[in-house]
Amino acid sequence: MSEVTALERPEENRDEVESAVVRFAGDSGDGMQLTGTQFTLTAALAGNDLATFPDFPAEIRAPAGTTFGVSAFQINFGARKIMTSGDDLDVLVVMNPAALITNLSDVKLGGIVIADTGAFSDRHLSKAGYTENPLETGDSLDKYRVIKIDMSRLTVEAVKEFGLSNKEALRSKNMWALGLIYWMYGRRRQASVDWLNNKFAKNADIAAANIAALNAGHAFGETAEMPAEIGGYSIPPAQIEPGLYRTVTGTDSIALGLLKGTQLAKVGLTFCSYPITPASALLHQLAAMKEFGVITFQAEDEIAAVGAAIGASYAGSLGITSSSGPGIALKMEAIGLAIATELPLIIVNSQRAGPSTGLPTKTEQSDLYQAVFGRNADAPMPVISVSSSTDGFDVAIEAVRLATKFMTPVMLLTDGYLANASEPWLIPDMSTYEPFEVEFRTDPEDFAPFARDDDTLARPWVKPGTPQLAHRIGGIERADGSGHISYAPENHQRMTDLRAAKIDGIANDIPEQEIDQGDAGDDLVVVGWGSTYGPINRAVSNMRLEGLKVAHIHLRYIWPLPRNLGDLLQGFGQVLVPEMNNGQLVTLLRAQYLVPAEGFNKVNGKPFLINELEGAIRGRLEN
Amino acid sequence: MNVQTPPEKLTAKDFATDQEVRWCPGCGDYAILKAVQRTLADMQVDPEQTVFVSGIGCAARFPYYMETYGFHTIHGRSPTIATGVKLANPELDVWVVGGDGDMLSIGGNHTMHALRRNVDMQILLFNNEIYGLTKGQYSPTSQTGTRSPSTPYGSVDRPVSAAQFALGAGGRFIARSADILQKHLPVVLQRAYENKGASFVEIFQNCIVYNDAVFSHFTEKKVASDMQIHVEHGKPLIFGAESNKGLRMKKDLLELEVVTIGEDGVTEGDILLHDETNRPAAMLLASMQPPAFPVALGVLYCDPAPTYDGAVHDQVNAIKGDKGEGDFDKLLRRGHTWEV
């Protein structure tokens, strides 16, 4: 077992800062995601609040040194509540020229750029599009504090004793960089050492080499080989609610919530999906939960996935399917069948930039129209959305509750950012979650497949195999009550009205909309949904600190909208709707409530920056 | 000793619903419906453990006429919905019913995967070589040259053979019959029901309105004996009005030939025996076409293998046995956690 060697620098010699944004960027093969994940874990263990943003290329193994092969991991961590993965970078670590050219513009003026000079060869410089070495000539780095270190050489030297090839040795240079950043923020290395020993338990030399590199990077900072003005920082722990924590991505929380939801409903979980970025991780997670009786099915295509989910629901389990925008489009006819036959079903949509293949690994929230309106005929369906990596747990449980209580498909909207971004999560107390056990119909007396519950308008859920309840359902319009085929004009009118009334009635079952920050009647309200929660929350709180009367409303329920939302919105001076699309919720709100809501839109594949939102708010209030 | 009243014996009528059957008068579907109802009654299957799933098309109305559980779904997707039913409850007995457009055109992909996975269900393909419900367009099984509203000068593409497709997809049970064979069809249906796995049955079905008599060259009474061969496992492949024609392998070729017993020194001993576990032989039988060959009917291939739905549940149970029933609180705390 290898151990930590260098001593920790005493806290008092460090500059205390409230928060910092660090990005590790390198080639796809440089292990940047892993480095970022380790730094995240250590920050969490140090008691900081944090948010992360992994950003990796669509190509599986992009050619080394290319700009499109750059993989990055960003973390914002601090002594205060962290709402986003951060606007501008305090520290950018670049492992090659391509990482520098693609990430430099995100560094704040005067920020630190740490570059591995050993990777700035002529070949890599030219692959990145540089005609000269920016570390040596030109003025492109004048606005930053640049630390040039030959990390490649120092790593090879640090691991010399383990007899690795040069190529193998260089694989540890991400740990060297991590060690240096650990030193910079006064972080303990033990968690990463433990992790390396565990990961390479069967390959002690590799574990030892990585730990040696980590220690060497740390020692480099410790032995004052750094420029004098960079003396290291400290970030005290944040004020965090006490309890047991773990980190979760949006995918983690949704997977756990779906399982918990089906447990609360006492129904089986049959998850049917087809691989697609960025939704596949949900299939991977649930496929590993078989000890809970979870059935997973990797179907031959998107349509088969939703078809099997519908079949599972028909047979008395809860069918769940998952995809991203293009796959959801393929599923829509079948979703219409589930709406027509009034079967429970959950469709998880991890939105990505489109249309068509678009930018598969980049985030967007542009499937709201598709979710609410994107089917043939009048086919209403509840739509709910996840607003943070931890929020997925409760939203997934709510999706199960609505689907089973109202016998309807439910679309759950998340996005590519939430799918990959992680946050610390106070593990909730499961005893506080009320069960909502499904009652399957077994009584043959007066049974009719399309008779409705007086309150919810839901039809009974019958498991095939139940004695004396054999019946037929299908996509052809069903007679009210009996469910037999009916072409009667007045029956179609009645059934269309009933289907709409059932979904509209969900508004009476869900909570009234609350104001996240600010007061009813403020000069301006920012209305958001989904993963924009973090930046809107921080931007609004910053504006309120400046004295502006700005409020924030964040929607979980997209359809039906909360019953008090219209009245609430009418009371504000202005309504601003920031979205990572070309203006979808804003259109819905204008159509529903005739309010003069205004959009603020961005579709560059990246989340909103806080200062972008501050600018938009200020611009509207100072005019 | 208690006197047990024997359960009432189900008849074909017990499998009929009160719904008016809405196929065209003279449609072959009526005969198939009758045969299915009779077969289920003969086997005394439990109607409440039985689910009929269909897609879209004339054949797909089938579930509405069966007094069992039933789900009339969307075009081409019935195998996917049936797969979901079996995943959720493998105990249910599932029948999938569809036509050639439903199961070989829009749903061809799903038919292929249901077969290769060997999902435990009966797939009945009513092949009438035409689109009926949409009013007579040619289908993927229509013979080249078929004149239809969408091909007024005759279709130019070549048809798919349903049985060969099913064999190629890895199906473990492939059989054939015809709507008018009211004695043969129930026997084939019973075999399909008894096979554990995906049982694929192609039923030649006459569309009296849009494609009448398309199979008459081998179904008409006067030609049936010479143009049909009813295969049975272990028995010689003999056919003909005088039962003197047979099939044998051509010398040194992977090809069948029709021979006459008593001519050119051919004896019954030269005739191939039908081995329903022999996949290449099944492919040769499935490919035979009149007039050079008779159409092979009966169970062309039956070589059972483990079912997909069974394997999925076995795996879940094995993991539960290995790890113990899942504990959600432990799952929440799996991996790195820290106390604040």
Side-chain angles (χ1 to χ4, degrees):
Chain A
M1 285 291 215
S2 299
E3 296 296 336
V4 173
T5 52
L7 295 168
E8 309 293 332
R9 170 176 285 222
E11 285 297 305
E12 56 268 21
N13 296 346
R14 296 175 171 272
D15 296 333
E16 185 173 313
V17 289
E18 194 185 27
S19 68
V21 182
V22 175
R23 184 185 293 172
F24 298 94
D27 211 45
S28 299
D30 283 338
M32 294 294 98
Q33 301 304 319
L34 205 143
T35 309
T37 312
Q38 282 302 303
F39 193 79
T40 302
L41 173 68
T42 298
L45 291 173
N48 295 135
D49 196 22
L50 60 91
T52 70
F53 182 42
D55 188 16
F56 40 81
E59 287 73 19
I60 303 298
R61 293 271 183 272
T66 56
T67 53
F68 54 89
V70 172
S71 174
F73 190 103
Q74 179 172 330
I75 172 171
N76 183 5
F77 59 113
R80 63 170 186 174
K81 183 85 190 136
I82 298 295
M83 300 308 302
T84 73
S85 54
D87 281 14
D88 303 329
L89 307 176
D90 294 298
V91 177
L92 170 67
V93 181
V94 293
M95 308 306 279
N96 69 6
L100 181 66
I101 205 166
T102 50
N103 289 281
L104 186 63
S105 63
D106 294 338
V107 181
K108 68 171 58 157
L109 294 184
I112 298 171
V113 176
I114 302 172
D116 174 15
T117 56
F120 279 63
S121 64
D122 288 349
R123 197 165 62 93
H124 278 147
L125 284 163
S126 105
K127 266 192 189 165
Y130 284 114
T131 49
E132 53 188 17
N133 188 343
L135 301 176
E136 289 162 7
T137 46
D139 57 2
S140 66
L141 300 175
D142 286 359
K143 291 176 284 183
Y144 312 102
R145 288 182 287 167
V146 182
I147 303 172
K148 294 173 251 183
I149 309 172
D150 191 344
M151 292 189 230
S152 299
R153 183 180 58 80
L154 291 169
T155 303
V156 170
E157 275 173 20
V159 306
K160 206 161 41 188
E161 60 179 294
F162 304 103
L164 305 174
S165 70
N166 195 55
K167 196 175 159 195
E168 281 173 325
L170 280 173
R171 285 214 188 104
S172 303
K173 81 174 182 176
N174 61 334
M175 288 296 119
W176 198 99
L178 181 65
L180 179 65
I181 303 300
Y182 276 169
W183 167 79
M184 190 176 271
Y185 289 99
R187 293 291 131 119
R188 297 182 57 82
R189 283 157 285 154
Q190 193 59 50
S192 292
V193 170
D194 293 346
W195 180 82
L196 285 164
N197 277 325
N198 188 41
K199 181 171 168 73
F200 298 110
K202 287 183 184 149
N203 206 334
D205 273 357
I206 301 284
N210 275 288
I211 292 163
L214 182 80
N215 288 335
H218 191 271
F220 184 89
E222 190 64 32
T223 52
E225 292 182 52
M226 296 287 280
E229 77 274 18
I230 299 171
Y233 304 97
S234 78
I235 298 185
Q239 286 295 323
I240 295 175
E241 200 183 330
L244 187 67
Y245 282 78
R246 60 173 286 179
T247 57
V248 278
T249 63
T251 307
D252 296 330
S253 66
I254 290 170
L256 291 166
L258 291 173
L259 176 57
K260 186 65 196 173
T262 52
Q263 290 182 339
L264 294 169
K266 285 215 162 88
V267 292
L269 195 174
T270 307
F271 186 85
C272 310
S273 191
Y274 182 75
I276 184 171
T277 303
S280 308
L282 195 54
L283 171 61
H284 306 166
Q285 295 229 355
L286 287 160
M289 294 184 185
K290 295 223 175 353
E291 68 269 32
F292 292 88
V294 170
I295 303 283
T296 55
F297 173 55
Q298 182 178 318
E300 59 268 27
D301 62 26
E302 296 285 359
I303 301 172
V306 66
I310 291 170
S313 285
Y314 171 70
S317 178
L318 180 63
I320 303 177
T321 190
S322 163
S323 189
S324 187
I328 301 291
L330 284 165
K331 295 180 196 289
M332 278 302 189
E333 185 198 10
I335 294 171
L337 174 71
I339 290 171
T341 53
E342 302 186 45
L343 285 168
L345 172 73
I346 294 175
I347 307 105
V348 180
N349 180 353
S350 299
Q351 301 165 92
R352 67 187 212 191
S356 187
T357 307
L359 306 172
T361 59
K362 306 300 173 196
T363 197
E364 211 161 88
Q365 47 182 177
S366 46
D367 290 350
L368 183 143
Y369 282 165
Q370 180 178 232
V372 178
F373 302 119
R375 289 166 294 283
N376 62 301
D378 293 304
M381 172 173 78
V383 179
I384 59 178
S385 64
V386 175
S387 63
S388 70
S389 296
T390 56
D391 188 42
F393 187 70
D394 286 344
V395 172
I397 291 173
E398 179 68 346
V400 177
R401 190 186 72 85
L402 292 176
T404 54
K405 180 170 183 178
F406 291 90
M407 292 292 284
T408 177
V410 174
M411 189 172 294
L412 192 163
L413 293 175
T414 177
D415 64 32
Y417 172 76
L418 293 176
N420 296 311
S422 64
E423 281 179 51
W425 186 39
L426 174 61
I427 297 174
D429 176 3
M430 287 302 106
S431 67
T432 61
Y433 285 81
E434 288 289 322
F436 43 86
E437 187 174 346
V438 168
E439 272 182 55
F440 288 97
R441 172 86 185 210
T442 53
D443 182 5
E445 179 126 353
D446 296 327
F447 168 70
F450 282 83
R452 289 172 193 282
D453 180 272
D454 291 340
D455 279 345
T456 62
L457 297 180
R459 75 177 192 89
W461 194 2
V462 183
K463 285 182 181 175
T466 307
Q468 300 179 64
L469 293 187
H471 66 278
R472 276 64 54 192
I473 61 170
I476 299 180
E477 185 63 279
R478 297 136 308 277
D480 186 14
S482 74
H484 293 321
I485 289 178
S486 170
Y487 293 105
E490 65 280 9
N491 180 70
H492 179 57
Q493 178 75 55
R494 190 160 61 246
M495 289 296 275
T496 302
D497 294 347
L498 279 166
R499 286 189 289 268
K502 180 174 86 167
I503 302 307
D504 288 346
I506 292 174
N508 297 319
D509 189 75
I510 60 176
E512 290 200 341
Q513 182 61 47
E514 289 178 3
I515 301 173
D516 197 73
Q517 280 187 85
D519 302 301
D522 274 348
D523 295 338
L524 183 147
V525 62
V526 182
V527 182
W529 66 283
S531 69
T532 54
Y533 179 80
I536 295 176
N537 177 290
R538 181 46 52 84
V540 168
S541 79
N542 289 349
M543 292 295 94
R544 291 184 67 79
L545 283 175
E546 286 184 17
L548 297 178
K549 294 181 93 179
V550 186
H552 176 197
I553 285 176
H554 213 78
L555 302 180
R556 170 179 288 182
Y557 299 92
I558 306 294
W559 196 264
L561 290 159
R563 57 192 177 277
N564 63 329
L565 184 63
D567 289 343
L568 206 52
L569 294 184
Q570 303 286 358
F572 290 97
Q574 296 182 54
V575 179
L576 178 66
V577 187
E579 295 179 84
M580 295 185 292
N581 62 40
N582 234 352
Q584 300 193 3
L585 177 66
V586 69
T587 308
L588 189 70
L589 295 178
R590 291 171 68 101
Q592 286 296 299
Y593 303 123
L594 298 174
V595 287
E598 198 190 338
F600 178 61
N601 306 96
K602 164 170 173 171
V603 283
N604 67 354
K606 292 183 176 176
F608 275 108
L609 301 179
I610 294 165
N611 64 39
E612 290 172 337
L613 293 166
E614 288 173 351
I617 294 167
R618 205 179 269 124
R620 275 154 191 84
L621 287 181
E622 288 175 355
N623 277 339
Chain B
M1 204 174 92
N2 288 333
V3 179
Q4 299 266 333
T5 34
E8 218 167 300
K9 218 168 146 34
L10 294 165
T11 66
K13 269 191 187 154
D14 294 314
F15 286 91
T17 60
D18 58 359
Q19 296 295 293
E20 189 190 343
V21 183
R22 293 192 190 191
W23 288 311
C24 306
C27 176
D29 288 353
Y30 284 94
I32 303 173
L33 177 63
K34 214 171 87 184
V36 171
Q37 288 169 341
R38 215 175 73 208
T39 308
L40 295 190
D42 287 349
M43 296 185 297
Q44 293 294 297
V45 308
D46 182 352
E48 285 152 351
Q49 289 292 331
T50 304
V51 182
F52 275 82
V53 182
S54 65
I56 292 295
C58 295
R61 295 295 179 92
F62 207 89
Y64 289 112
Y65 311 135
M66 292 299 300
E67 189 56 58
T68 62
Y69 283 91
F71 198 173
H72 179 226
T73 70
I74 46 176
H75 206 12
R77 318 304 171 195
S78 55
T80 72
I81 283 142
T83 299
V85 170
K86 288 297 285 191
L87 284 172
N89 184 357
E91 302 304 313
L92 293 170
D93 187 21
V94 175
W95 298 73
V96 172
V97 177
D100 38 305
D102 199 36
M103 304 199 66
L104 290 174
S105 196
I106 189 166
N109 187 32
H110 308 308
T111 306
M112 170 170 88
H113 290 281
L115 287 166
R116 77 156 173 92
R117 289 193 184 103
N118 202 31
V119 184
D120 182 22
M121 56 197 188
Q122 292 72 248
I123 302 172
L124 309 185
L125 186 144
F126 300 7
N127 183 6
N128 58 14
E129 298 189 358
I130 208 78
Y131 281 86
L133 204 58
T134 52
K135 311 227 182 320
Q137 299 83 357
Y138 85 115
S139 91
T141 53
S142 296
Q143 299 308 306
T144 306
T146 297
R147 286 174 190 274
S148 79
S150 58
T151 51
Y153 302 106
S155 61
V156 295
D157 44 344
R158 288 151 54 81
V160 63
S161 153
Q164 287 187 74
F165 169 81
L167 275 163
R172 310 295 303 199
F173 180 100
I174 315 292
R176 267 186 187 157
S177 191
D179 50 6
I180 58 164
L181 298 178
Q182 281 295 307
K183 280 199 181 118
H184 186 258
L185 182 54
V187 176
V188 168
L189 292 173
Q190 188 164 341
R191 284 290 312 276
Y193 174 80
E194 285 163 354
N195 174 59
K196 206 119 172 80
S199 306
F200 182 85
V201 184
E202 178 185 17
I203 304 170
F204 297 109
Q205 174 249 323
N206 190 47
C207 174
I208 193 165
V209 174
Y210 294 112
N211 214 12
D212 194 22
V214 73
F215 301 121
S216 61
H217 62 289
F218 67 90
T219 57
E220 286 236 322
K221 253 198 184 131
K222 58 178 194 251
V223 297
S225 312
D226 284 329
M227 285 295 117
Q228 294 177 13
I229 178 163
H230 293 201
V231 303
E232 278 185 74
H233 184 59
K235 295 199 175 157
L237 291 161
I238 289 174
F239 65 104
E242 285 153 38
S243 298
N244 64 341
K245 293 185 194 165
L247 298 172
R248 72 171 184 192
M249 295 302 294
K250 267 190 189 167
K251 194 172 171 340
D252 300 334
L253 285 172
L254 201 61
E255 266 179 42
L256 290 172
E257 65 179 345
V258 174
V259 293
T260 305
I261 298 167
E263 284 181 9
D264 304 325
V266 174
T267 67
E268 198 174 322
D270 296 322
I271 305 301
L272 265 182
L273 295 180
H274 180 47
D275 175 3
E276 67 183 20
T277 67
N278 184 332
R279 179 180 286 271
M283 195 56 107
L284 292 175
L285 291 172
S287 66
M288 295 193 305
Q289 281 188 30
F293 287 94
V295 173
L297 301 171
V299 179
L300 307 188
Y301 181 63
C302 176
D303 188 13
T307 67
Y308 177 70
D309 39 310
V312 165
H313 283 266
D314 287 349
Q315 190 180 55
V316 167
N317 291 331
I319 291 163
K320 278 183 177 177
D322 195 30
K323 295 189 169 180
E325 282 278 343
D327 176 338
F328 193 79
D329 280 320
K330 273 193 192 151
L331 179 67
L332 278 179
R333 288 159 181 77
R334 192 184 284 171
H336 282 283
T337 59
W338 68 96
E339 196 78 46
V340 171

